[in-house]
Amino acid sequence: NAGVTQTPKFQVLKTGQSMTLQCAQDMNHNSMYWYRQDPGMGLRLIYYSASEGTTDKGEVPNGYNVSRLNKREFSLRLESAAPSQTSVYFCASSAVRDYNSPLHFGNGTRLTVT
Amino acid sequence: AQRVTQPEKLLSVFKGAPVELKCNYSYSGSPELFWYVQYSRQRLQLLLRHISRESIKGFTADLNKGETSFHLKKPFAQEEDSAMYYCALSINNAGNMLTFGGGTRLMVKP
């Protein structure tokens, strides 16, 4: 049982390049999330998917797109990377919609855009 | 919009000393509050939630609606408590749409 798996762990992009961050969970969770973590700003929600087939914007969605490919996988795409998107990206998942469903996080992807 | 503030970026204490990590929030309704922790080389994980009124690893947190605070406390810090701590707030019934504070790094010195 791996929990939430993110790939890649590290990535360096040049401004304007595109890439997709992959996330998969094996806990049969309904909901999945993408956060970015910046020093002093905590984690900010980019996009989330409450259930398979649905996606919604979070606090900071500009410059990103997401795809809930199936119940297990939730990818985050940067179409044209910018230096402001240099950050650590975390994927998370949670089960049913009640307070006994904490977020389970992946190990993160450290992205640098030059 | 809701907001979570952790005023201390770094808190350094000696082993055995009491610890209090501060968290203040702004939200007009009745939020649910959580503490998440990230130990070195480990994933971010839930430490405790106010609705459970539980004590985890000796830590407790009391929701003070009058002061809009949810400070995390432990009477005697241990070296293994050294980690990054995040206070988080949820305004929905699921407790999974979280707004995080900026985090406080706790260092417990021997």
Side-chain angles (χ1 to χ4, degrees):
Chain A
N1 188 335
V4 179
T5 303
Q6 292 182 235
T7 55
K9 292 184 179 180
F10 301 95
Q11 183 71 48
V12 179
L13 293 177
K14 295 185 177 180
T15 297
Q17 288 185 316
S18 63
M19 78 160 296
T20 300
L21 281 65
Q22 306 288 351
C23 175
Q25 52 89 11
D26 60 4
M27 296 173 283
N28 200 35
H29 284 169
N30 293 320
S31 302
M32 298 185 73
Y33 314 82
W34 277 104
Y35 284 88
R36 59 177 288 173
Q37 182 187 45
D38 300 294
M41 302 185 73
L43 283 79
R44 291 181 292 169
L45 183 64
I46 305 171
Y47 269 94
Y48 68 98
S49 171
S51 61
E52 186 179 356
T54 67
T55 61
D56 287 286
K57 296 179 180 180
E59 180 184 356
V60 288
N62 291 344
Y64 305 95
N65 285 300
V66 291
S67 295
R68 183 74 182 267
L69 304 171
N70 46 55
K71 192 171 187 179
R72 290 187 65 249
E73 298 173 287
F74 188 40
S75 62
L76 178 72
R77 183 161 178 84
L78 287 71
E79 289 290 353
S80 179
S84 61
Q85 294 178 305
T86 293
S87 187
V88 181
Y89 291 85
F90 287 97
C91 178
S93 68
S94 67
V96 297
R97 296 174 63 83
D98 61 41
Y99 289 113
N100 292 318
S101 303
L103 267 62
H104 295 258
F105 284 87
N107 280 325
T109 296
R110 187 174 294 275
L111 175 66
T112 301
V113 183
T114 61
Chain B
Q2 64 276 13
R3 185 184 179 104
V4 178
T5 302
Q6 295 178 248
E8 303 143 326
K9 291 186 178 180
L10 174 65
L11 183 62
S12 182
V13 301
F14 285 102
K15 177 182 174 181
V19 170
E20 182 179 54
L21 295 125
K22 297 189 187 311
C23 172
N24 291 92
Y25 67 90
S26 62
Y27 178 59
S28 57
S30 295
E32 295 299 332
L33 277 297
F34 306 81
W35 278 98
Y36 276 77
V37 61
Q38 188 172 27
Y39 300 103
S40 179
R41 297 188 182 86
Q42 294 188 29
R43 306 174 186 215
L44 190 63
Q45 58 188 288
L46 177 68
L47 178 63
L48 57 79
R49 70 204 90 182
H50 102 269
I51 196 171
S52 299
R53 301 189 183 281
E54 56 202 346
S55 173
I56 303 294
K57 298 184 178 182
F59 284 99
T60 60
D62 291 319
L63 178 60
N64 186 323
K65 291 187 177 181
E67 296 183 357
T68 59
S69 67
F70 188 57
H71 303 326
L72 184 68
K73 301 178 183 179
K74 185 170 183 175
F76 307 104
Q78 303 298 315
E79 289 181 70
E80 55 265 32
D81 295 329
S82 296
M84 194 75 183
Y85 291 81
Y86 292 95
C87 182
L89 174 156
S90 173
I91 62 172
N92 74 348
N93 291 330
N96 55 8
M97 295 300 297
L98 297 175
T99 297
F100 285 87
T104 297
R105 180 167 297 282
L106 175 64
M107 293 180 58
V108 181
K109 298 177 286 188

